[in-house]
């Protein structure tokens, strides 16, 4: 994705508010061996980044007005207004060729265990995102995890994910991703059924005990 930003100086509180009203979001570029550069980024461009397939992990080719140099950056920090959710500041990390970055990648469960359909089991996802360390071009949009073969009582951990030499998971190996177990509804229904069967058996026993003995 290509974005053009404008270089800026220090801003007073009033100047900052004016820029924001004009759709210009104050930001900064920083990185190894780079003196931080203050910039303005169009709010529309930030929206395009967030709406893109890779979202916050999008690799951006950024140019600054009046400078022919292209900076390869990723969003490192994005500050939003807690009420209006408008953008207030953006931090862009410049990356060099071969440099790895740390990012949050969405975990997407694929498939459905048989017991979910046949026994009312519940597939619970405990981990929504995973911390990944990789070169930007190797970062997946999401991690697809096949859960179709899971059985009741199974717990899927980070250590169970397929190995990819280009990806390094910073999340602990013993972190649970998903578990398959009986839902409370299914457990309650089973308990009710057992209680009902026991009640019927008790009633039958009581009736048999109360019945007069047959004459010989």
């Amino acid at each position: 994705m290509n974005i053009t930003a404008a270089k800026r100086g220090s801003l007073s509180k009033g100047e900052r508010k004016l820029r924001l009203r004009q759709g210009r979001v104050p930001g900064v570029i920083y990185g190894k061996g780079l003196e931080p550069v203050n910039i303005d980024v169009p709010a529309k461009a930030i929206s395009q980044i967030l709406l893109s397939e890779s979202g916050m992990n999008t690799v951006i080719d950024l140019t600054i007005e009046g400078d022919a140099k292209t900076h390869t950056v990723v969003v490192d920090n994005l500050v939003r207004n807690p009420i209006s959710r408008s953008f207030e500041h953006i931090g862009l990390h410049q990356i060099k060729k071969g440099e790895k970055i740390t990012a949050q990648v969405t975990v997407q469960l694929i498939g459905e265990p048989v017991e979910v359909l046949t026994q009312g089991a519940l597939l619970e996802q405990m981990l929504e995102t995973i911390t990944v360390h990789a070169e930007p071009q190797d970062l997946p949009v999401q991690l697809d995890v096949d859960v179709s073969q899971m059985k009741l009582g199974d717990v899927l951990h980070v250590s169970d994910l397929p190995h990819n030499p280009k990806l390094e998971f910073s999340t602990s190996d013993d972190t649970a991703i998903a578990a398959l177990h009986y839902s409370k509804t299914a457990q309650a229904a089973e308990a009710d059924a057992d209680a009902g069967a026991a009640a019927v058996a008790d009633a039958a026993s009581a009736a048999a005990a109360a019945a007069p003995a047959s004459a010989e």
Side-chain angles (χ1 to χ4, degrees):
M1 180 176 289
N2 299 310
I3 290 178
T4 300
K7 195 170 183 179
R8 65 171 177 84
S10 299
L11 299 175
S12 65
K13 187 175 181 180
E15 290 172 329
R16 183 186 182 85
K17 288 183 177 180
L18 177 60
R19 295 287 181 94
L20 290 171
R21 285 198 297 269
Q22 294 172 338
R24 308 288 299 184
V25 181
V28 61
I29 306 174
Y30 44 81
K32 292 180 180 178
L34 175 70
E35 190 72 23
V37 180
N38 292 326
I39 56 173
D40 277 344
V41 181
K44 287 183 178 180
I46 299 176
S47 295
Q48 290 174 349
I49 294 170
L50 298 183
L51 292 173
S52 67
E53 188 178 35
S54 48
M56 288 280 285
N57 296 332
T58 300
V59 178
I60 304 160
D61 289 328
L62 182 139
T63 55
I64 299 175
E65 293 175 359
D67 187 352
K69 183 179 180 180
T70 298
H71 301 267
T72 302
V73 300
V74 292
V75 178
D76 187 52
N77 180 265
L78 182 60
V79 179
R80 305 184 74 159
N81 185 289
I83 299 174
S84 68
R85 303 304 294 161
S86 59
F87 308 122
E88 295 190 338
H89 189 273
I90 186 169
L92 298 171
H93 176 207
Q94 178 171 281
I95 50 178
K96 298 179 179 179
K97 186 175 181 180
E99 181 181 353
K100 293 184 176 182
I101 63 172
T102 300
Q104 295 295 316
V105 177
T106 300
V107 176
Q108 180 67 46
L109 303 185
I110 303 297
E112 194 167 31
V114 174
E115 284 86 350
V116 171
L117 301 173
T118 61
Q119 299 183 39
L122 176 66
L123 177 63
E124 181 182 4
Q125 182 170 357
M126 292 92 122
L127 190 67
E128 300 287 342
T129 62
I130 188 169
T131 306
V132 177
H133 192 59
E135 292 186 32
Q137 69 273 12
D138 295 326
L139 282 174
V141 174
Q142 64 182 31
L143 275 175
D144 293 335
V145 181
D146 184 7
V147 295
S148 61
Q149 301 304 310
M150 289 183 69
K151 304 296 181 184
L152 277 171
D154 284 354
V155 179
L156 188 71
H157 296 89
V158 171
S159 58
D160 298 317
L161 294 175
H163 175 69
N164 184 334
K166 294 183 179 181
L167 301 180
E168 178 184 336
F169 299 128
S170 299
T171 304
S172 176
D173 282 349
D174 59 1
T175 301
I177 297 174
L180 185 65
H181 50 77
Y182 270 124
S183 66
K184 291 182 179 179
T185 301
Q187 290 175 337
E190 185 175 349
D192 288 344
D194 290 343
V200 170
D202 290 344
S205 297
S214 58
E216 294 185 358

